[in-house]
Amino acid sequence: MIQVIWDAQGRVPLLKINQESVPWARLEPDLERIFLGRAERVVYVKGDENLDFEYVAQVVAEAHNAGINRVALLTKDLE
């Protein structure tokens, strides 16, 4: 799961992959590495409520660039 966490100080949101903090610049390469040997390439993205959707869209785009074929968005109702 990729979490996009809003930083209350108004900066760029923080990212976590499976509870591990990841800088934005490492998102795509880390996803490529994680999914390298997997036949099924599905990732879940969870964004904070107060987050601008542009950041979630950026995560989705980078996941697709990393070869992830399915991206699911988690909402409060789906957790």
Side-chain angles (χ1 to χ4, degrees):
M1 177 189 317
I2 302 171
Q3 293 176 281
V4 189
I5 303 162
W6 182 244
D7 181 359
Q9 297 176 5
R11 291 180 277 170
V12 176
L14 306 172
L15 290 175
K16 286 189 175 186
I17 299 176
N18 298 329
Q19 302 299 323
E20 181 183 330
S21 294
V22 175
W24 280 88
R26 273 196 21 223
L27 177 60
E28 188 176 327
D30 281 4
L31 289 175
E32 288 174 348
R33 179 184 48 80
I34 290 168
F35 286 91
L36 185 61
R38 296 187 188 184
E40 191 169 323
R41 295 174 177 233
V42 178
V43 72
Y44 296 92
V45 178
K46 178 182 174 188
D48 281 349
E49 276 186 37
N50 298 328
L51 190 68
D52 287 339
F53 189 76
E54 71 180 279
Y55 297 110
V56 174
Q58 183 177 351
V59 168
V60 171
E62 291 196 36
H64 283 295
N65 290 339
I68 309 300
N69 24 4
R70 292 187 188 168
V71 178
L73 302 178
L74 290 178
T75 64
K76 276 185 168 183
D77 298 336
L78 295 176
E79 284 185 56

